[in-house]
Every structure is written in C-alpha cells, then in structure tokens.
Amino acid sequence: MTERTLIKDLAAASDGPISVSGWVETVRDQKKVQFVVLRDESGAVQLVHPRNFNEDKTPADDPIADIISGLAQGTFLTATGELKHDERVKLGGVEIKLDALTIAAEAIPETPIAEDSSGDKRMDWRFLDLRVPKNALVFKIQTTFLHALRTYWVEHDFIEIHTPKLMASASESKAELFEVDYFEGKAYLAQSPQFFKQMAQPAGFGKIFEVGPAFRADPSFTSRHATEFTSVDTEFSWIDSHEDVMKLHEELLVAGFQAVKDKHGDEIKALWDVEITVPTVPFPRVPLAEAKRIVAERGYEVPRADDDMDPEGERQIAAWAQDTYGHEFVFLTDYASSIRPFYHMRHEGDSSVTNSYDLIFNGVEISTGAQREHRIDVLIEQAKEKGLDPEELDFYLDFFRYGVPPHGGFGMGLSRVLMLMLHLPNIREATYLFRGPTRLLP
Ligand code: AMO
C-alpha cells in the first residue's frame, strides 16, 4: 500500500515532499495558476500548480496543467508535491505545490445531486451524499458514541453477545413481523434480541450487551421509523427494580455524550450548529400517569383511549423537563400493564402497572427498558392474559424453569439517538443506508 498522509495531519507535518490521496472537490483553472481542492475522510487541502510558460510567454508543455484542466469533480487521485505552510491560505494554512497527479478513478462530470436536492434523491445517491463533511460527521460521532458505550460495558465486565436474527417466533408485536421462507418452513426476522438477551441470565453471563440489527415491518412513514435499525441492548442480573436499569442507562449516556463532546464538540458546532450538552444525573423521572397530568396542565390532552403517550405528549413532557430541570432527557416510568409486553414485571401489589420506562430525548422516545418477570408461574399467567399461547413460547419459558435471577435491561435505537443529538429532521439522515416501506436500494 502506498504511504499517504491524512489531510488532517498536514498542519503538523514539516514543509517538504508529501503525498495525499482523496477526491476532487473543486477546480479553479486560471490562466497563470491552477488550484484544486482535494478532500479525504479527514479534511481538505489546496493543491497548487503554477502553469509552465516559455520565455516568449506562450504556454509550454505542461502535463500536470492538462490533467487539471480535464479534472471532473469527484475524481479520486493521488497528489505528490511540496508541502508549504502559509497562514494566508484559508484552508488549513497549508498548500501543496504539485509535482505529480495520479488519477485512480475518474468520475462522471455531472453530479446527480446538489445541496438542495430532496431527501429522497439524496438517499438515491447516498455514497455521494456522504462525501459532504457534515453528513459523514454523523458516522464519526456514531463511532465515538458506541466506542464509549462499549468501553463502559467492557470495563464493567459486561459480555458482548450476538443473538440470531432469524427467529422461529415474534418477540414483540406480531403485527410488525417480517416473514421469510426458511427451507420447508417459515422464519421471522428478529424485531429485537429480547428473548435471547434474556437467555444470557440463566446462562449465568450476569451482564451482557449487544449492538445489532432489528427489523420491524412497520408500514408507517414517520421521521423516526425505519424497517431495519441498529438496536443497542443491554441486560443484567441481580437488579432490585427498573430503577437500577435507569441508573445504568444514564451512566452509559453520560459516557457516550462526554466522549462525543470531547472529540467532536467543536466540529458539531461548526457544521451542525448544535451545542452538545453532556446530561447531568439523575435524569428527571416521571410516572406516566403524572406525565399525562403535567401535559394536560400545559394544555394538551393526550387523545389516546389506552394508557400510552402519543408523540405530541412526548414533545410536551420533554418541553416540561427542559423548562423545569433544563434537561434534554426524561424517563417516563410505570407504564400500564395493558400496553406493555407480557415479559415486563408488574408492581408488587398493583399488577396494573409495570416496572418499566421509556426514555424521551429532545421530545422523542429513544428507548424502552424494564425489569423482567422471572417467576415462571407469573410469566405464564401474563402471557396467557395477553392472548399468547405458552406452547409457542416454550423455548423461552424453559429458561425460567431452570432458574433465572431478577434481571432487566433496555433496548435503544441508535439512529434515533444520533438524530436527536444533532437535531436532524429525519432518521434517514442518521442512518448509513435507510430502510423504509418503499426503500430497499441502494
Ligand atoms: P421497543 O420496541 O420500544 O422495545 O424498541 C426499543 C427502541 O428501538 C427503537 N425502535 C426503532 N427505531 C427505528 N425504527 C423503528 N421502527 C423502531 N422501533 C423501535 C426506538 C425504541 O425506543 N425489547 C424492547 C426493549 C427492551 O425492553 O429491552 C424493545 O424492542 O428507539
């Protein structure tokens, strides 16, 4: 592999011979001198080429000038030349005076997308869209965020697992299930690692995490739903209640946000005009029934016959948390059993309420967490009550027949966190390649 210097490292490099590789962002082809702005994954630099002239001032043989004159935006090339620091150069205070240009791959001159192209068009050409630094930054932030979470988990003795994505049955609602042919029978794409992350508890793993794909056959076109998303999951034993899960959740988010702020805070401010706030702990916690009262007092009646919160209610309670605590996060706790899955533990003494929560960040749900029911007889009763056939769940119920300690955990949508952290208008912007009801390509 040829040695290349990353463009971000040029400022600290000494003047002298250098080689960089990237794609052409702009070309300024002037009479006496040519300029090319070359970008790589780390930054952009100006390449300079003073044209060659004969003594009588007629243009001389000049192969580099010929290449530059024919350069299309987007062409990938390697440039070698002399690095020179010059504080007058706006772009990074350095430039490279060219000795040679080697084209690796030419691009078609017409670019199919522009800054003002529609979201759909941009997604059609996602690989070009991601060349825009602010769009690529989203995925650098995602890397830093996940790295911080992973570091936290590893330092606290969590074990990483990878559960199968081909399943024999649903783990969440049957309505959102993708069915696939599986040899002589059928399989389903995992909606969540729920059952198999819980299996790590009877397996004696104690504390686990998983970052992996989840699939939901949700036909809705909202700014926060995808049919495939990356789910960040954790599950751990020996908890007293969902309060322990919320504590872990907070600590993980603080670690993630701190790392993002430290590494990318300035760039996020410059490119997205967003100030990253590292949340303080504890995050506000509000039981759902109280949240509805608060929202009603603010003039919004949640129009749901069941006991759930709707998206506007979530926005309102987030506004309340911001006004009251100056906090971007709020835990809504104690959801009614009627709207929670059978595996959520219910309050001791009041089985109408669960030991569960949703985490709202900047007005949108990013996560669901709960203490799980680990007592087999109660679990079977709760499954039956939800109209589920215990026989279909036998593989799951078996875990509990051999003993499972008290445990809980949460699942969090990675792209939703990124979307809300950067105030992006749509989950597509925070997803490398979005999947929705009408999008399977690219
Ligand atoms: P839930 O169904 O609430 O809980 O999902 C957890 C989190 O996953 C994200 N999410 C989605 N993101 C994008 N598109 C979707 N269609 C989508 N659906 C869900 C959200 C959501 O908060 N098993 C439980 C978690 C648990 O209890 O551990 C579960 O899946 O951010």
Side-chain angles (χ1 to χ4, degrees):
M1 208 164 90
T2 40
E3 198 56 43
R4 72 174 172 123
T5 303
L6 281 178
I7 291 173
K8 76 171 168 58
D9 296 330
L10 292 177
S14 319
D15 284 359
I18 201 99
S19 174
V20 290
S21 300
W23 66 92
V24 173
E25 197 164 77
T26 56
V27 178
R28 263 194 301 146
D29 197 355
Q30 297 175 350
K31 267 193 200 137
K32 288 191 178 153
V33 60
Q34 295 167 303
F35 297 97
V36 176
V37 172
L38 191 76
R39 184 171 287 284
D40 71 5
E41 63 271 39
S42 70
V45 66
Q46 176 163 278
L47 314 175
V48 199
H49 178 66
R51 286 176 179 276
N52 288 343
F53 290 97
N54 297 314
E55 271 179 15
D56 64 359
K57 296 196 175 150
T58 55
D61 196 30
D62 193 345
I64 293 182
D66 294 342
I67 295 176
I68 293 176
S69 298
L71 272 185
Q73 195 191 16
T75 296
F76 279 83
L77 57 79
T78 293
T80 44
E82 289 290 311
L83 177 70
K84 196 163 158 267
H85 284 72
D86 181 347
E87 57 193 31
R88 289 168 305 172
V89 180
K90 281 201 194 118
L91 195 61
V94 292
E95 62 181 16
I96 295 172
K97 187 162 169 290
L98 286 172
D99 291 330
L101 277 180
T102 313
I103 292 183
E106 277 185 54
I108 295 175
E110 295 78 32
T111 322
I113 50 167
E115 233 176 274
D116 58 353
S117 296
S118 69
D120 254 337
K121 185 100 190 272
R122 286 179 37 227
M123 293 303 135
D124 288 343
W125 297 96
R126 188 62 164 151
F127 60 96
L128 296 178
D129 187 51
L130 289 173
R131 285 188 192 174
V132 178
K134 69 191 269 194
N135 298 343
L137 178 60
V138 176
F139 300 93
K140 295 177 184 174
I141 295 166
Q142 181 173 286
T143 306
T144 302
F145 179 73
L146 273 182
H147 182 64
L149 265 55
R150 203 175 278 281
T151 302
Y152 180 101
W153 278 315
V154 171
E155 282 177 356
H156 291 81
D157 299 318
F158 283 68
I159 298 174
E160 179 165 16
I161 60 168
H162 298 281
T163 60
K165 303 307 159 201
L166 284 168
M167 307 270 289
S169 64
S171 69
E172 307 297 326
S173 140
K174 280 194 172 159
E176 293 181 347
L177 210 49
F178 279 119
E179 187 179 285
V180 293
D181 289 338
Y182 196 68
F183 306 104
E184 300 301 302
K186 296 280 177 209
Y188 304 96
L189 298 184
Q191 298 159 297
S192 151
Q194 187 60 42
F195 291 164
F196 294 128
K197 69 173 175 167
Q198 280 189 260
M199 191 193 87
Q201 314 314 315
F205 280 22
K207 305 190 253 185
I208 62 91
F209 69 95
E210 174 170 6
V211 179
F215 304 88
R216 304 274 170 106
D218 185 337
S220 52
F221 291 88
T222 76
S223 57
R224 57 193 173 151
H225 285 97
T227 50
E228 177 177 352
F229 64 96
T230 302
S231 186
V232 175
D233 281 86
T234 195
E235 200 72 20
F236 58 114
S237 289
W238 304 114
I239 64 168
D240 291 330
S241 76
H242 54 309
E243 176 57 35
D244 292 325
V245 184
M246 290 192 282
K247 275 208 187 98
L248 174 74
H249 208 152
E250 290 170 338
E251 284 180 25
L252 280 164
L253 285 168
V254 167
F257 274 65
Q258 187 67 60
V260 167
K261 189 175 179 70
D262 291 349
K263 187 157 184 186
H264 308 286
D266 293 345
E267 216 179 343
I268 293 172
K269 180 80 190 131
L271 297 184
W272 286 104
D273 197 20
V274 170
E275 195 78 58
I276 297 295
T277 306
V278 180
T280 51
V281 292
F283 298 1
R285 289 147 165 72
V286 197
L288 190 72
E290 194 184 326
K292 287 184 150 187
R293 273 198 298 278
I294 293 170
V295 163
E297 271 169 29
R298 293 173 70 93
Y300 180 70
E301 285 291 342
V302 180
R304 297 273 285 255
D306 63 22
D307 301 306
D308 212 349
M309 205 48 143
D310 71 342
E312 180 54 26
E314 287 173 355
R315 272 191 287 279
Q316 292 283 342
I317 200 70
W320 169 83
Q322 186 59 255
D323 294 347
T324 316
Y325 299 102
H327 217 288
E328 293 178 324
F329 292 86
V330 53
F331 284 118
L332 298 182
T333 65
D334 307 279
Y335 278 75
S337 315
S338 56
I339 56 161
R340 290 306 226 194
F342 75 100
Y343 56 79
H344 280 197
M345 185 177 272
R346 298 175 181 183
H347 275 203
E348 221 177 294
D350 180 4
S351 66
S352 69
V353 187
T354 54
N355 282 6
S356 75
Y357 67 88
D358 272 8
L359 177 56
I360 312 295
F361 172 34
N362 281 338
V364 177
E365 175 207 318
I366 57 165
S367 198
T368 296
Q371 177 170 14
R372 320 304 183 185
E373 181 49 69
H374 63 279
R375 297 160 297 183
I376 179 71
D377 45 340
V378 184
L379 195 56
I380 290 175
E381 274 318 302
Q382 290 186 182
K384 281 191 195 155
E385 193 191 293
K386 294 271 176 196
L388 301 171
D389 177 1
E391 260 176 43
E392 269 184 40
L393 291 168
D394 223 31
F395 75 98
Y396 175 69
L397 297 173
D398 271 346
F399 306 160
F400 300 87
R401 295 190 175 107
Y402 290 86
V404 179
H407 66 285
F410 68 79
M412 179 166 74
L414 181 59
S415 298
R416 284 212 190 159
V417 178
L418 267 288
M419 168 177 91
L420 295 154
M421 180 194 280
L422 298 172
H423 302 255
L424 305 176
N426 196 299
I427 195 166
R428 290 188 302 198
E429 309 279 336
T431 310
Y432 181 65
L433 283 172
F434 172 75
R435 287 290 176 264
T438 56
R439 185 164 288 277
L440 276 172
L441 275 173

